[in-house]
Amino acid sequence: KNEVEQSPQNLTAQEGEFITINCSYSVGISALHWLQQHPGGGIVSLFMLSSGKKKHGRLIATINIQEKHSSLHITASHPRDSAVYICAVINFGNEKLTFGTGTRLTIIP
Amino acid sequence: KAGVTQTPRYLIKTRGQQVTLSCSPISGHRSVSWYQQTPGQGLQFLFEYFSETQRNKGNFPGRFSGRQFSNSRSEMNVSTLELGDSALYLCASSLDGQGYNQPQHFGDGTRLSIL
């Protein structure tokens, strides 16, 4: 079993829909990252959080440390949001970054 | 402020050769981490360098090595290349490192193909 699990693996939605991507992890962590990867490979760090909730524009990230679960929400989704979204955790103790397998999001106009 | 720069962007090698990839971090960033991304395994952590010292490493064979220079630029080397080494190699920089709860700034990656 992977230390970091994401769901769904693939998600297709219509423009304007509210999107939720989930991340569950099985190890103790000091922080969790949400990353966005567009075709071509470039990765952008969206959020880094260790508790609570963060918001940036139409993106919201939440984390529940007790339940070992984080969610990434996109409001009023747009075709330019189409990308792979990757959850990554910093293992508490060895400080290594472990990645989920990613969620491929496609927003249809 | 310039971002993280990786060179080259694309590289084709044959089995048994060796390769060196380069990463220039954002000015002022002292930590450089390297990652391998493949369709089968996803993103995996290779190693992290801080102030010219390897501070952390993932579970890769000794064929994978790296170093960091006094200006924080980093190189990674893969020797005796295997077909399975075909991947996108990404580096990321941050001020103090992965364990300091700081954003990682990624380069665009080097796509390595092994024939």
Side-chain angles (χ1 to χ4, degrees):
Chain A
K1 190 179 191 298
N2 292 334
E3 291 181 346
V4 183
E5 299 274 357
Q6 284 186 240
S7 64
Q9 284 189 299
N10 295 282
L11 179 57
T12 300
Q14 293 286 334
E15 182 174 356
E17 285 190 38
F18 181 81
I19 303 300
T20 296
I21 298 171
N22 296 299
C23 175
S24 296
Y25 51 91
S26 58
V27 295
I29 69 168
S30 56
L32 180 144
H33 294 256
W34 280 103
L35 309 171
Q36 179 192 57
Q37 186 173 30
H38 281 284
I43 291 179
V44 174
S45 177
L46 297 174
F47 294 103
M48 183 189 60
L49 61 167
S50 54
S51 65
K53 176 180 174 178
K54 286 191 175 181
K55 184 176 189 292
H56 186 256
R58 296 180 294 106
L59 302 178
I60 303 165
T62 64
I63 189 168
N64 185 318
I65 296 294
Q66 287 73 30
E67 294 186 3
K68 295 188 176 178
H69 181 269
S70 176
S71 293
L72 175 68
H73 305 286
I74 305 175
T75 62
S77 59
H78 190 276
R80 65 175 175 266
D81 297 326
S82 297
V84 176
Y85 292 84
I86 302 168
C87 167
V89 301
I90 303 285
N91 286 38
F92 185 81
N94 67 20
E95 299 178 359
K96 293 182 184 180
L97 200 59
T98 304
F99 298 87
T101 52
T103 295
R104 184 175 299 277
L105 174 65
T106 303
I107 304 298
I108 300 170
Chain B
K1 204 176 201 182
V4 178
T5 304
Q6 289 189 247
T7 57
R9 286 297 312 277
Y10 302 93
L11 203 49
I12 298 175
K13 291 285 187 179
T14 57
R15 278 182 299 174
Q17 287 187 310
Q18 75 162 19
V19 68
T20 299
L21 312 181
S22 179
C23 173
S24 293
I26 289 173
S27 178
H29 285 190
R30 296 175 294 175
S31 167
V32 174
S33 297
W34 288 90
Y35 306 93
Q36 182 197 63
Q37 187 176 36
T38 60
Q41 299 295 321
L43 271 161
Q44 294 182 284
F45 168 66
L46 278 157
F47 27 66
E48 179 193 7
Y49 284 86
F50 180 85
S51 292
E52 302 179 63
T53 300
Q54 187 181 87
R55 186 158 69 178
N56 217 337
K57 69 188 297 287
N59 300 322
F60 278 81
R63 299 185 297 108
F64 292 81
S65 63
R67 60 178 175 168
Q68 187 179 33
F69 302 94
S70 57
N71 62 358
S72 293
R73 188 177 73 85
S74 177
E75 290 181 346
M76 68 163 280
N77 184 275
V78 188
S79 62
T80 320
L81 286 165
E82 301 176 359
L83 291 177
D85 297 333
S86 294
L88 179 67
Y89 290 88
L90 291 152
C91 83
S93 75
S94 64
L95 278 169
D96 298 306
Q98 293 183 35
Y100 289 85
N101 294 350
Q102 297 167 350
Q104 295 277 298
H105 298 265
F106 286 82
D108 289 334
T110 293
R111 189 165 296 280
L112 175 64
S113 298
I114 310 301
L115 303 180

